[in-house]
Amino acid sequence: MTHLPSTDVDSTAPANRYASAPAWRAVDDYFTDALVREDDALASARESGERTTIPNAEVAANQGALLGLITQLSGARRVLEFGTLAGYSTIWFARAVGPEGKVVTFELEPANAAVARENFERAGLADRIELVEGSAADSAGRLISERTEPFDLVFIDADKPSNPLYLQAALELTGPGAVIIIDNVVRDGAVADAGSDDPRVIGVRDVVDAIAARDDLTATALQTVGVKGWDGLIIARRT
């Protein structure tokens, strides 16, 4: 009989990650090793997250591959990202949009932006990525006031209390058919606690309410378990 890894969740986890079970990590490792083509540029970008202000916060390799695949399946050529960090997910998006595509990504911290720019150069993608430093809300406001060309896909992965604000900006910067993805929405199960006073949980629940209240958004949410613990994402499409 094959003995599977323990499904007991470890009591400790790296900074900025939820605890995970050995079995979850083993499954992530199996599928990542078999299916995800993470080359040196992507691996370096992922590892460089340790030099950012929020180490270990980047998406996992299989999640990055999922974001790239959604971008390709939706035919997106213009992507907007709230939260660059070291630029790991940005590289997945930039490769998926192709040579004629464009990724605009917002990063608050100059130190993180410097790490990301190194990664974009290493990946040979700096010409299709525009990294905008400063407040994501302010940066999005400028794009709105400039009436910038609409984006086909928006990835929201920045400070969670601002999720509703970022969603509103995303709606003003997209048109029908656009895809909006919001990361880290399960929060180790805390999202189900209606009485939570955690601003990050409140930000997620508020954005869920905002999505549910709109007739022009079709959405679902998926729980994920793996190297990053128990979390998940929302995927919405404008109709």
Side-chain angles (χ1 to χ4, degrees), residues 126-163:
D127 61 334
R128 68 181 78 164
I129 299 172
E130 179 183 351
L131 195 162
V132 182
E133 291 186 46
S135 159
D138 292 344
S139 299
R142 284 193 294 272
L143 293 184
I144 293 168
S145 64
E146 293 168 0
R147 299 183 181 275
T148 191
E149 181 182 347
F151 291 93
D152 306 307
L153 186 149
V154 178
F155 182 49
I156 299 174
D157 189 18
D159 60 303
K160 309 311 169 184
S162 297
N163 274 343

Side-chain angles (χ1 to χ4, degrees), residues 14-97:
N16 302 307
R17 287 191 179 179
Y18 297 115
S20 65
W24 301 353
R25 299 193 295 274
V27 171
D28 258 7
D29 289 345
Y30 166 69
F31 283 122
T32 297
D33 291 344
L35 300 175
V36 177
R37 295 177 176 85
E38 189 187 56
D39 59 13
D40 290 344
L42 277 168
S44 295
R46 177 171 48 78
E47 292 163 2
S48 73
E50 292 293 334
R51 296 192 282 127
T52 69
T53 58
I54 317 177
N56 305 307
E58 70 282 341
V59 300
N62 54 349
Q63 295 169 341
L66 174 63
L67 295 174
L69 187 58
I70 292 173
T71 303
Q72 292 174 321
L73 289 171
S74 65
R77 287 294 175 263
R78 285 178 54 79
V79 171
L80 176 62
E81 179 181 52
F82 287 79
T84 314
L85 205 57
Y88 182 70
S89 54
T90 322
I91 292 174
W92 280 105
F93 285 126
R95 288 182 171 176
V97 298

